[in-house]
Structure formats: structure tokens, C-alpha cells
């Protein structure tokens, strides 16, 4: 009788059942003593991930490998959890030192308020983990089929316009579920956000579980609680989270978060395919609805949630909190600095920590937009701090394209990417800010190096997706255009318009589109409405500068990443 070969999903499920990797730091220490070649495949491909560790690509991305994945080097990427993005100046100094000592000075702020180090050797990993733990930080659960870093508003507790401070609830959820052995073996990654922010800056629309501020009135008493959204996610099959008819009281948040995680954990149907294992596939493939999910959630938590109350859905495009802003606390301000493409140096981290200590109370925050923010700065010194941050290469006031650009890791380090993104993002933003000086429209320009949307191109005004095309007899980096993605009042997934071009031609295409917008926009029309009003053919023609036959997206049928998006 022929032997039945394990599927990829079956193998991963078996490995997770056989070992809880968090119990085996001793094995990681043994690998460090014996060298990179001593690390077995099950650790490289599965167990390291729950520790926040990935193998690092060789710079060629997916093209240099086989079976949908590029070649790995001897080095590792290490991701550090930062719940709600909240950091102390001491922790920031530790991160700067680790980046310098173990990561060749390369650190990236991610779209989930984490910090990623690169170029880490196997010999360095135990020491790195111990130094992080001593500083109150951890890599545990930053990757893998677990509860990922719980995000929240980086100005929680200080923003003058927030509905209420939700950071205690974000931290409570992260503390209860993050690194929890009960939720070590989920079908895939599981992302949650808890926010009281008026601008929903943590993007609840694309999280598996999202708590957003809601207020209900009973008699003469007003109560602040949360709305609940379920099943958001991007990757190759994007899905906007569904709002449930539920009002979550503040004392119910942890129970509800746990209940959703338990439903996800129990979903055997989601363990059959690694490519369709996220919570959203209950809605996309298995017939679940908002109503049926709420019924199952009420059964799981053992009580019925009250019906939903009113909420204010934000209209803003930018949710980044950059610039100088007065806090709700008298005499204090917070200062949001732009970290273009999320790449930050040890010197910049140390300078930010020094300024936070000298002019504030040492409170810093990482943001979902890959930026860094200083809180509780004495208002009379805000301009001085902003100038010093700008001098350090962390500008507080930035032009439109530098502000609105987000980029994934790209082929520099990711084995699944088709294109290099970080350097390209810097060049593209500079080109567009020079070509369209004073562009006043809020714009989100997101760059992702493959179809998996780690750069979140599906929710951008202009989202470009990495490809390869043949040009001049050679394969070169190229990008495929999607437009009209949005969150908030008009939450929608960007639509592919059938145009792609070499990376070097992208500035020309975007310049043509935005010049056309400025010249033909209707009275008081914004970019979002303009992109909605124009057909794919119209936009494709403008991008190309001539009539252009539609090109398919050419999505590979291979694997999707295990969480390189941060």
C-alpha cells in the first residue's frame, strides 16, 4: 500500500502538537553553541516562528529559490512585541544597543507596532532574548500561529480628541492572550486591536478582532464601551472586518477577546489548508455570517452581549498622529515623527530616547504607520524637540508622499518578496514630492513586494504590488497598480486596474494620474471620490499615458507568508 504523504498543513499541525516551542529555550541555547548547521528544519520552518524568529533571505527574494520561497541565509530576523506601541526611554536604548550589537544597525518599525532586527546570528539569539526580557520586552508570540502583538492607539491616554483611554484594555488583552500556552496552537496568526482613538489609527477594519470606541446612553447615564468587528485581513484575499450587533462593556473586553480566540482555535475546518486558515475564511468560504458568529460567541463566553450602540466612524485618511499636538494634560504635548519606510538607526533611537528624557518623562510610542512618537513633552519645549528630531533624520513635518508612504520588508530580507521595497519607497516618495510640490491632498501610497499585502496595498489610495517583467532582455522589478482602497466611512478594498510597469516608470505613472486628478476633479472632490468615479480603463489609460490593454494580476498559486508583515 502506497504511503500517504503529509500535506504542508498536516505537517505544521503535527509539529505544533508535538512541541510547545516556548518550553524549549534550552534547545535554542544548544543551537547557539553548536552553530547554524545544527538547527533542524522543524525549528527553522515552524518552532522559531512562535519565538518571533524567521530565517533571513539572501536579497534575491523569491526569485532566487524554489517552490515559492527564496533561499535562506545563515542570519535571522527577530521581531519584538511592543503591546499598544508603548515604550520607555530605557527600553528604546536597549533596542538601539541590540540593533547595533547584533543587527548591523538595521531596525524596522512594523505595521503592528513591533520592532524588527535583521542580520541576527544563531549565536546571538539567547543573549538577545535574555536582554529583552530584562528590559520587560519579549519576542514570544511576535510571529507564528499565535495571538500576535495587540495593537492600539499610540496616543492613548494623552490625545485631546480620544473617546477614552483604551490602552489598559489593549494591554490586558495582550497580557491575557499573548504568549499564553492555551493559544499556542491556533490555525494561523491571530491579530487584535483595541482602541479608543477618534481616528481608528490602529486599522480595526483589517484585524481578526477589533474593539472600537462606542457610547450608549441609558436614562441619564452615558457608558463608554466598544463596538466589535471580526474577520478582517488582507493577503491575497482581502476582507474588511464585519461589525457584530454587540456592545462590549469595558469589563467584558478580555472575556470577549478570549472567546473569539477559542472559536478560532476550535475551527478544525481552518486547519485543512495553510492558505485558507485565517479567521476571515469562516466568512469567505464556510458560510458564517455576522449573526451566526455572534450567536457562537455568546455561547462560548457564557453570556449574551448587549446590542450595538452608536459609534463615530472616522473620515480621515491619515491616522498617523504626526506633528506637534497638545495633549489633554495641561502644559504637555506629543510629537509624532516620521520614520520613512519604518527604517530607524540606533543613533536615531538613542536621540529620541534622550529627548524624551530631557524634555518629557521618557515615554515613547511606536505607531502602526511605522513612525515614532514622543509623549508628555513640556509644551514650551515642543518646537525645540521637533527641530532636534528633524535634525536626527526623524522629521516632524513632512510632505504628502513621504508622509503617506508605507513599505513592506521586501526582497532585501524576505524570502517571499519579488521586489526590493525599502530603498524604492524612499526614492519614490522623494521623486513625487519633488515633481508635485505642495500636493495638498491626503494620500496613502503603499508598496508591497509580492501579492501577500504585507505593505497593506489593499487599503491604499494607490497600492502597488511587486512583480517581475522582462525588460531589455532581463527580468526587472515591476509593480502592478491597485487604486481606491480606503478605511473609515467608505471602507473598501482597492481594485486592480490592469496596469503594470517597470519600477523605474512608477513615478511617471503616478505623476500622470495625480496631475489628471488635479486638472479634472469636480468641485470639492477628493482623491477617494475621484478614483471611485473613474473606471479601471480610464485610470489605466492615464497611468500608461496611452490606451493600454488590461493585464491580469498574475497571482502565484504558491504559499503565503507566515507573518512577515509584522
Amino acid at each position: 500500500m502506497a504511503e500517504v504523504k503529509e500535506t504542508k498543513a498536516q505537517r505544521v499541525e503535527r509539529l505544533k502538537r508535538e512541541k510547545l516551542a516556548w518550553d524549549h529555550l534550552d534547545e535554542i541555547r544548544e543551537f547557539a553553541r553548536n552553530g547554524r548547521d545544527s538547527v533542524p528544519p522543524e525549528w527553522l520552518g515552524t518552532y522559531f516562528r512562535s519565538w518571533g524568529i524567521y530565517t533571513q533571505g539572501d536579497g534575491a527574494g523569491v526569485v532566487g529559490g524554489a517552490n515559492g520561497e527564496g533561499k535562506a541565509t545563515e542570519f535571522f530576523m527577530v521581531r519584538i512585541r511592543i503591546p499598544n506601541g508603548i515604550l520607555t526611554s530605557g527600553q528604546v536604548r536597549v533596542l538601539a544597543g541590540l540593533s547595533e550589537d547584533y543587527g548591523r544597525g538595521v531596525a524596522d518599525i512594523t505595521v503592528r507596532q513591533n520592532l524588527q532586527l535583521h542580520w541576527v546570528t544563531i549565536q546571538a539569539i539567547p543573549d538577545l532574548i535574555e536582554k529583552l526580557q530584562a528590559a520587560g520586552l519579549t519576542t514570544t508570540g511576535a510571529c507564528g500561529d499565535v495571538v500576535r502583538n495587540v495593537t492600539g492607539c499610540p496616543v492613548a491616554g494623552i490625545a485631546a480628541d480620544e473617546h477614552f483611554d483604551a490602552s489598559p484594555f489593549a494591554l490586558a488583552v495582550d497580557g491575557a492572550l499573548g504568549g499564553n500556552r492555551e493559544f499556542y496552537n491556533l490555525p494561523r496568526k491571530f491579530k487584535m486591536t483595541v482602541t479608543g482613538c477618534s481616528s481608528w489609527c490602529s486599522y480595526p477594519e483589517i484585524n481578526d478582532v477589533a474593539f472600537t470606541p462606542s457610547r450608549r446612553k441609558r436614562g441619564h447615564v452615558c457608558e463608554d464601551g466598544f463596538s466589535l468587528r471580526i474577520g478582517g485581513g488582507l493577503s491575497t484575499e482581502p476582507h474588511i472586518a464585519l461589525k457584530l450587533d454587540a456592545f462590549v462593556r469595558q469589563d467584558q473586553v478580555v472575556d470577549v477577546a478570549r472567546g473569539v480566540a477559542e472559536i478560532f482555535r476550535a475551527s478544525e475546518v481552518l486547519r485543512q489548508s495553510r492558505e485558507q486558515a485565517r479567521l476571515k475564511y469562516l466568512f469567505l468560504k464556510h458560510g458564517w455570517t455576522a449573526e451566526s458568529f455572534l450567536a457562537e460567541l455568546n455561547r462560548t463566553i457564557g453570556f449574551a452581549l448587549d446590542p450595538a450602540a452608536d459609534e463615530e466612524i472616522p473620515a480621515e485618511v491619515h491616522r498617523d498622529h504626526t506633528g506637534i499636538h497638545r495633549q489633554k494634560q495641561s502644559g504637555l504635548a506629543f510629537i509624532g515623527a516620521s520614520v520613512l519606510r519604518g527604517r530607524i538607526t540606533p543613533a536615531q533611537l538613542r536621540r529620541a530616547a534622550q529627548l524624551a528624557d530631557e524634555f518629557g518623562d521618557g515615554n515613547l510610542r511606536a505607531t502602526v504607520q511605522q513612525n515614532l512618537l514622543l509623549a508628555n513633552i513640556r509644551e514650551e519645549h515642543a518646537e525645540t524637540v521637533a527641530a532636534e528630531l528633524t535634525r536626527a533624520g526623524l522629521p516632524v513635518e513632512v510632505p504628502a508622499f513621504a508622509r503617506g508612504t508605507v513599505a513592506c520588508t521586501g526582497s532585501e530580507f524576505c524570502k517571499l518578496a519579488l521586489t526590493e521595497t525599502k530603498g524604492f519607497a524612499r526614492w519614490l516618495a522623494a521623486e513625487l514630492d519633488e515633481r508635485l510640490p505642495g500636493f495638498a491632498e491626503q494620500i496613502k501610497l503603499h508598496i508591497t513586494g509580492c501579492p501577500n499585502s504585507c505593505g497593506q496595498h489593499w487599503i491604499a489610495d494607490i497600492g502597488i504590488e511587486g512583480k517581475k517583467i522582462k525588460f531589455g532582455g532581463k527580468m526587472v522589478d515591476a509593480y502592478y497598480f491597485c487604486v481606491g482602497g480606503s478605511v473609515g466611512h467608505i471602507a473598501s478594498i482597492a481594485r486592480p486596474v490592469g496596469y503594470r510597469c517597470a519600477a523605474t516608470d512608477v513615478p511617471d505613472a503616478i505623476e500622470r494620474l495625480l496631475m489628471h486628478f488635479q486638472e479634472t476633479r469636480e468641485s470639492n472632490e477628493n482623491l477617494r471620490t475621484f478614483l471611485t468615479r473613474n473606471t479601471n480603463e480610464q485610470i489605466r489609460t492615464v497611468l500608461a499615458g496611452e490606451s493600454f490593454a488590461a493585464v491580469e494580476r498574475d497571482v502565484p498559486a504558491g504559499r503565503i507568508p507566515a507573518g512577515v508583515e509584522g
Side-chain angles (χ1 to χ4, degrees):
M1 185 174 178
E3 182 181 354
V4 179
K5 186 178 180 182
E6 278 185 317
T7 67
K8 179 174 62 177
Q10 289 169 339
R11 180 176 185 274
V12 173
E13 290 300 317
R14 174 176 58 79
L15 290 173
K16 288 187 296 182
R17 288 193 303 270
E18 290 176 353
K19 179 180 291 186
L20 200 164
W22 296 333
D23 289 341
H24 294 275
L25 182 56
D26 56 332
E27 289 193 50
I28 298 178
R29 292 193 179 102
E30 188 69 17
F31 300 148
R33 286 190 289 269
N34 295 329
R36 174 67 165 76
D37 291 342
S38 70
V39 185
E42 60 267 26
W43 270 91
L44 294 174
T46 300
Y47 294 137
F48 263 145
R49 289 175 178 172
S50 62
W51 276 98
I53 299 167
Y54 282 100
T55 54
Q56 180 172 301
D58 65 356
V62 72
V63 175
N67 300 317
E69 184 171 330
K71 294 178 181 177
T73 67
E74 63 184 294
F75 301 101
F76 295 88
M77 179 209 82
V78 178
R79 181 178 300 151
I80 300 149
R81 288 175 74 105
I82 307 173
N84 206 117
I86 298 173
L87 289 161
T88 66
S89 56
Q91 289 173 326
V92 170
R93 289 188 179 91
V94 168
L95 293 173
L98 294 174
S99 171
E100 199 165 58
D101 294 343
Y102 302 128
R104 298 188 183 180
V106 178
D108 291 332
I109 301 172
T110 79
V111 293
R112 290 199 65 79
Q113 296 176 300
N114 297 302
L115 193 89
Q116 286 181 178
L117 303 180
H118 302 279
W119 299 109
V120 179
T121 64
I122 189 64
Q123 291 81 5
I125 287 175
D127 189 45
L128 189 153
I129 289 173
E130 290 168 5
K131 287 182 177 178
L132 286 170
Q133 290 174 341
L137 295 167
T138 184
T139 66
T140 303
C143 308
D145 297 350
V146 297
V147 176
R148 298 293 183 87
N149 189 47
V150 177
T151 63
C153 175
V155 292
I158 61 177
D161 62 345
E162 72 178 346
H163 294 283
F164 60 92
D165 180 7
S167 60
F169 308 103
L171 297 176
V173 171
D174 192 86
L177 301 181
N180 185 332
R181 302 166 63 89
E182 294 179 55
F183 300 102
Y184 168 78
N185 179 11
L186 298 176
R188 280 299 296 267
K189 55 193 172 187
F190 188 63
K191 300 178 182 178
M192 293 189 286
T193 188
V194 186
T195 183
C197 177
S198 63
S199 66
W200 292 12
C201 64
S202 60
Y203 292 111
E205 298 94 339
I206 57 172
N207 275 258
D208 292 290
V209 186
F211 297 87
T212 53
S214 179
R215 172 173 287 188
R216 67 179 178 183
K217 190 171 183 179
R218 291 187 163 181
H220 298 292
V221 178
C222 288
E223 179 184 5
D224 284 321
F226 296 94
S227 294
L228 180 62
R229 284 172 167 77
I230 300 292
L234 297 178
S235 193
T236 54
E237 294 186 87
H239 184 251
I240 297 293
L242 299 178
K243 182 184 177 184
L244 304 191
D245 184 16
F247 179 87
V248 182
R249 298 199 316 259
Q250 294 183 5
D251 62 349
Q252 297 172 330
V253 170
V254 173
D255 288 339
V256 169
R258 173 182 283 271
V260 180
E262 289 175 354
I263 292 171
F264 184 45
R265 184 183 61 194
S267 299
E268 290 298 325
V269 69
L270 296 180
R271 297 182 185 272
Q272 306 307 309
S273 166
R274 296 291 291 171
E275 284 70 38
Q276 296 184 7
R278 294 290 301 280
L279 189 65
K280 66 184 178 181
Y281 285 103
L282 291 180
F283 305 103
L284 287 171
K285 303 291 184 181
H286 301 294
W288 287 55
T289 65
E291 292 75 20
S292 64
F293 194 98
L294 178 58
E296 181 64 14
L297 178 59
N298 287 337
R299 187 195 65 77
T300 301
I301 60 180
F303 57 87
L305 293 169
D306 292 337
D310 292 338
E311 63 178 1
E312 295 179 23
I313 300 177
E316 298 92 353
V317 174
H318 284 309
R319 301 177 170 188
D320 55 12
H321 302 299
T322 55
I324 299 173
H325 302 269
R326 285 184 177 177
Q327 293 184 190
K328 62 170 67 174
Q329 295 84 3
S330 178
L332 297 179
F334 67 82
I335 302 172
S338 177
V339 184
L340 182 60
R341 68 213 174 113
R343 180 66 50 86
I344 193 165
T345 68
Q348 289 172 326
L349 288 167
R350 290 194 178 97
R351 184 58 175 144
Q354 180 185 9
L355 292 168
D357 281 337
E358 185 177 352
F359 298 103
D361 63 354
N363 193 312
L364 299 95
R365 317 277 178 93
T367 83
V368 168
Q369 292 75 27
Q370 302 178 296
N371 294 326
L372 190 66
L373 185 144
L374 278 61
N376 301 325
I377 300 299
R378 296 188 295 280
E379 199 169 3
E380 65 269 23
H381 298 303
E383 293 290 348
T384 298
V385 172
E388 289 300 315
L389 286 168
T390 300
R391 193 170 290 117
L394 301 171
V396 172
E397 299 294 335
V398 291
F401 298 101
R403 181 180 182 185
T405 297
V406 168
C408 73
T409 298
S411 60
E412 180 184 13
F413 298 120
C414 177
K415 304 191 300 285
L416 301 169
L418 285 158
T419 59
E420 188 283 324
T421 58
K422 293 290 190 182
F424 176 74
R426 179 183 287 279
W427 171 74
L428 177 61
E431 276 286 315
L432 293 172
D433 281 322
E434 181 178 337
R435 295 181 186 207
L436 298 163
F439 187 78
E441 188 79 6
Q442 291 190 2
I443 183 169
K444 287 171 62 63
L445 173 59
H446 287 211
I447 303 162
T448 190
C450 75
N452 297 299
S453 196
C454 298
Q456 301 178 339
H457 71 299
W458 291 122
I459 57 168
D461 297 305
I462 301 174
I464 54 176
E465 179 181 289
K467 303 290 180 187
K468 290 289 189 185
I469 61 172
K470 199 164 188 178
F471 186 79
K474 296 191 303 182
M475 297 301 291
V476 300
D477 283 4
Y479 284 94
Y480 187 96
F481 281 74
C482 302
V483 306
S486 185
V487 288
H489 268 302
I490 50 173
S492 61
I493 298 299
R495 65 186 199 271
V497 295
Y499 179 69
R500 71 179 178 201
C501 64
T504 51
D505 294 330
V506 168
D508 292 337
I510 295 178
E511 181 184 15
R512 282 191 290 267
L513 179 62
L514 296 181
M515 288 292 291
H516 182 71
F517 159 67
Q518 290 179 323
E519 292 165 359
T520 64
R521 65 192 297 185
E522 296 177 353
S523 178
N524 298 319
E525 185 177 41
N526 63 27
L527 182 59
R528 256 107 275 128
T529 308
F530 169 83
L531 293 172
T532 301
R533 177 170 60 85
N534 282 267
T535 66
N536 289 352
E537 183 178 4
Q538 289 170 320
I539 290 173
R540 187 168 63 245
T541 298
V542 174
L543 286 168
E546 59 185 359
S547 182
F548 193 91
V551 176
E552 293 297 321
R553 273 184 65 223
D554 186 30
V555 180
R559 58 177 293 170
I560 60 176
V564 290
E565 80 293 345

